[in-house]
Amino acid sequence: QVHLVESGGGSVQAGGSLRLSCAASGSRYSNACMGWFRQAPGKEREGVAAIYTGGRRTYYGDSVKGRFTISQDNTKNTLYLQMNSMKPDDTAMYYCAAEPWPCTVVPSIRAGDFGYWGQGTQVTVSS
């Protein structure tokens, strides 16, 4: 079991930054795939970024490459998403997700590959 709680959402102007946090609990966090997804009204859930907690390799969706950074602090069981140079198109509900090993985030970050989800945190970017 993995329990996830997101925080850090809010409103920001275009060009600004936000950092999301995801506090994870559960015995299987240390060996899992962790990811950030987002969903805007009327759109499908989109994979934003992912990381394998047992290593450091990171993966990003094309729309956020070069602007967003996923990271982890294993001492705190916390996942982060640093969002820079934000755009109005980044407006969405952001979700943290986890899937214990064995798991995969290649060739793309897909919601169906993750079994545990947080409640989401809203991010709004104004122009």
Side-chain angles (χ1 to χ4, degrees), residues 5 8-9 11 18 25 31 34 38 53 65 71 88 91 102 104 117 123:
V5 178
S11 297
L18 280 177
S25 60
N31 195 22
M34 300 287 295
R38 66 187 183 186
T53 60
K65 284 180 180 177
S71 63
T91 296
T104 182
W117 293 84
V123 171

Side-chain angles (χ1 to χ4, degrees), residues 1-4 24-32 34 77 98-100 115-117:
Q1 290 284 348
V2 179
H3 183 60
L4 306 170
S25 60
S27 59
R28 304 184 70 180
Y29 169 81
S30 61
N31 195 22
M34 300 287 295
N77 280 8
E99 180 62 24
Y116 296 92
W117 293 84

Side-chain angles (χ1 to χ4, degrees), residues 100-113:
W101 187 261
C103 55
T104 182
V105 294
V106 294
S108 60
I109 307 166
R110 300 178 303 187
D113 290 334

Side-chain angles (χ1 to χ4, degrees), residues 40-111:
K43 295 186 177 181
E44 293 186 356
R45 192 164 293 193
E46 174 190 7
V48 174
I51 191 169
Y52 170 53
T53 60
R56 294 294 177 181
R57 188 165 183 176
T58 55
Y59 306 84
Y60 296 94
D62 289 341
S63 62
V64 306
K65 284 180 180 177
R67 300 188 299 121
F68 290 11
T69 302
I70 188 172
S71 63
Q72 59 182 351
D73 184 339
N74 286 347
T75 65
K76 298 180 181 179
N77 280 8
T78 301
L79 183 74
Y80 302 100
L81 183 68
Q82 177 66 44
M83 304 184 290
N84 298 329
S85 301
M86 298 187 72
K87 306 174 182 179
D89 285 349
D90 295 324
T91 296
M93 185 71 79
Y94 282 71
Y95 298 91
C96 175
E99 180 62 24
W101 187 261
C103 55
T104 182
V105 294
V106 294
S108 60
I109 307 166
R110 300 178 303 187

